[in-house]
Amino acid sequence: MRVGVPKEIKVQEYRVGLTPGAVREYVAAGHQVTVETGAGSGIGASDEVYRRAGASIAETAREIFAKSDMIVKVKEPQKSEWAQLRESQILFTYLHLAPDPEQARGLIDSGCIAIAYETVTDASGHLPLLAPMSEVAGRLAIEAAGAALKRSAGGRGLLLGGVPGVQPARVVVLGGGVVGTQAARMAAGLGAEVTVIDRSIPRLRELDDLFAGRVRTRFSTIESVEDEVFAADVVIGAVLVPGASAPKLVTRAMLKSMRPGAVLVDVAIDQGGCFETSHPTTHAEPTYEVDGVVHYCVANMPGAVPVTSSQALNNATLPFGLMLANKGFAAVLENPHLRNGLNVHRGRITNKAVAESLGMEFAPVGSELAA
C-alpha cells in the first residue's frame, strides 16, 4: 500500500504521524511510504533521516493526498486537508468529531474511510491509541496548572506543593481514567492536596489502593462536585465518554462561587470540554479568564512535547496501522477493535456515539459496506 504522511498544520502542532522507526516497519512489510518535506522537523527528524528509513519525500501535502492509499496523521484534518481526501482513501488519525460538525461533514462529503485513534479499542474495552496521549496530557495538565496558578499569570499566587508550614494547593480531578490518574499522580508527587471524583465505585477503589491514601476519592454527584470545585485551587477536567461530547460538569454559574484566581484545566476540550465556559486555546495563548477563574484549554497539549508524544503514539498505533496497510478496509471488517475506530465510511457516520452527538444518522458498519 502507498502510505502518506503529511506535515501537521494545526497551530503549534509538532508531532508527526509516523516516526522514522515506524516508517522502517512499514517499508519492511512491503509498503511504500511518502513523507512531506519537513514533517518530522518538530521531533528533530530531517528528510534525510526519513530517506534512510526507506521513505520518499514529497514537496507538498497535495502530492501526499493525491498519491496515497492511506493517510497517517496525528491531529484531525483541517479544512484544506479534508478537501483533498477522496473516496475510499483511508484516513488514520485523531478525529474528535463529536464537537466538530464541519469536519464531520467534510469527511462525509469526501467519501473517505476515516478511522479515529480515539475510538479504537482493545480486548479489555480500553482505548489503546488514546491512552498514551492521555498519559502525556494528564501529566502536562499539572505543569500547566502550576504555571497558571502564578500571580503573574492571573492565578492565586500559589505553589502547588506549598512549603513546610504553608498549606499546599487543593487540586480536584474530575474523572478517574487515564488522564485523571496521571494528573493525580503528578499533583500528589508535588505535594498538592488531591481529590479525584468519579462515577465508578470500582474505579475509586482501584485509585484508593493505587495511591495508598495519598489521594482522596469521592463519588460523583452534583453536591460532591460543587463541594470540591468551590474549595479548589485547581480543577482538572478529565472526563471522557468515548466518541461523544464531554459532559459539562462545571457551569458558568458555579464560577462565581469558586476562589478568585483558581485554575481550570480542560483536558477534555478535544471532545467539547467539560466546563461550560471552555473554548479551545493554543500553546501561543493558552489561557483566558472568566469571572476571575483562569481557564487553560489547549486542544493539543501533547504537541508541546512532540518527541515524547510522537514516540508514544507510534508505539501504540503501529500494529493497527500495519493491519490497515496490509489488508486495507478488510482489516476493519475482520478486526472488531479497528471496526470500533471507524467513524466515517463513504459518506456515512458509523460510530453511534459520534452520530448521536452530531445529531446525524448512524449507519453501522457491516460486510455489506465492504469495498
Side-chain angles (χ1 to χ4, degrees):
M1 180 178 280
R2 296 171 299 177
V3 179
V5 183
K7 185 174 183 178
E8 297 295 321
I9 60 173
K10 191 163 186 173
V11 176
Q12 292 188 311
E13 178 53 69
Y14 303 110
R15 290 172 288 180
V16 63
L18 292 182
T19 62
V23 167
R24 290 187 66 183
E25 298 295 327
Y26 276 82
V27 172
H31 304 292
Q32 300 175 26
V33 180
T34 305
V35 178
E36 184 182 354
T37 184
S41 60
I43 64 168
S46 66
D47 291 350
E48 181 55 33
V49 170
Y50 275 102
R51 287 192 182 95
R52 290 201 298 268
S56 57
I57 303 299
E59 290 301 315
T60 65
R62 184 168 296 280
E63 183 180 344
I64 296 284
F65 282 92
K67 296 182 178 179
S68 301
D69 302 308
M70 178 168 75
I71 301 294
V72 180
K73 283 177 42 61
V74 178
K75 290 304 292 178
E76 71 278 358
Q78 306 300 292
K79 190 171 184 178
S80 64
E81 294 176 314
W82 74 61
Q84 298 180 68
L85 292 167
R86 64 178 186 276
E87 186 173 350
S88 298
Q89 190 175 44
I90 296 173
L91 173 66
F92 193 38
T93 188
Y94 287 115
L95 293 176
H96 300 293
L97 289 176
D100 193 350
E102 185 182 12
Q103 183 202 168
R105 178 54 58 188
L107 295 180
I108 288 169
D109 291 345
S110 75
C112 77
I113 299 167
I115 300 165
Y117 293 159
E118 71 271 12
T119 60
V120 172
T121 57
D122 61 18
S124 300
H126 297 149
L127 305 173
L129 308 192
L130 185 62
M133 296 304 92
S134 295
E135 290 168 342
V136 172
R139 297 183 181 202
L140 284 176
I142 299 304
E143 292 187 13
L149 269 179
K150 294 176 182 177
R151 193 73 186 117
S152 58
R156 297 196 65 220
L158 291 176
L159 183 65
L160 275 171
V163 293
V166 179
Q167 186 175 343
R170 297 186 66 172
V171 176
V172 175
V173 181
L174 303 178
V178 177
V179 170
T181 300
Q182 295 301 320
R185 186 191 302 274
M186 289 289 285
L190 289 170
E193 180 183 322
V194 184
T195 300
V196 179
I197 299 179
D198 198 276
R199 294 192 67 86
S200 168
I201 293 294
R203 182 55 184 162
L204 293 177
R205 289 196 181 104
E206 291 173 354
L207 291 170
D208 192 58
D209 289 341
L210 176 65
F211 291 109
R214 291 186 300 126
V215 169
R216 296 170 59 235
T217 59
R218 289 195 69 176
F219 182 73
S220 180
T221 63
I222 295 172
E223 182 178 36
S224 65
V225 170
E226 287 183 347
D227 284 349
E228 297 297 334
V229 167
F230 293 164
D233 301 302
V234 172
V235 180
I236 306 295
V239 179
L240 172 70
V241 179
S245 297
K248 307 300 184 189
L249 298 185
V250 176
T251 66
R252 173 70 181 264
M254 291 170 67
L255 300 189
K256 293 181 174 58
S257 297
M258 291 183 66
R259 293 177 170 180
V263 174
L264 299 179
V265 180
D266 200 340
V267 188
I269 192 64
D270 276 331
Q271 293 296 124
C274 56
F275 308 138
E276 186 179 9
T277 46
S278 291
H279 64 74
T281 60
T282 66
H283 292 291
E285 296 184 33
T287 63
Y288 59 93
E289 187 178 307
V290 179
D291 294 339
V293 176
V294 180
H295 292 56
Y296 179 100
C297 304
V298 174
N300 61 329
M301 290 175 64
V305 286
V307 174
T308 298
S309 297
S310 295
Q311 290 176 355
L313 180 61
N314 274 251
N315 290 344
T317 59
L318 182 61
F320 293 96
L322 286 175
M323 284 184 213
L324 289 167
N326 290 336
K327 296 187 175 183
F329 185 65
V332 175
L333 298 177
E334 294 174 9
N335 187 290
H337 306 305
L338 270 175
R339 192 157 60 246
N340 288 334
L342 184 67
N343 279 205
V344 180
H345 179 272
R346 290 186 169 184
R348 294 190 269 190
I349 298 290
T350 54
N351 181 285
K352 187 175 182 180
V354 169
E356 289 176 349
S357 293
L358 292 169
M360 294 182 177
E361 183 180 353
F362 166 54
V365 67
S367 58
E368 73 277 8
L369 297 180

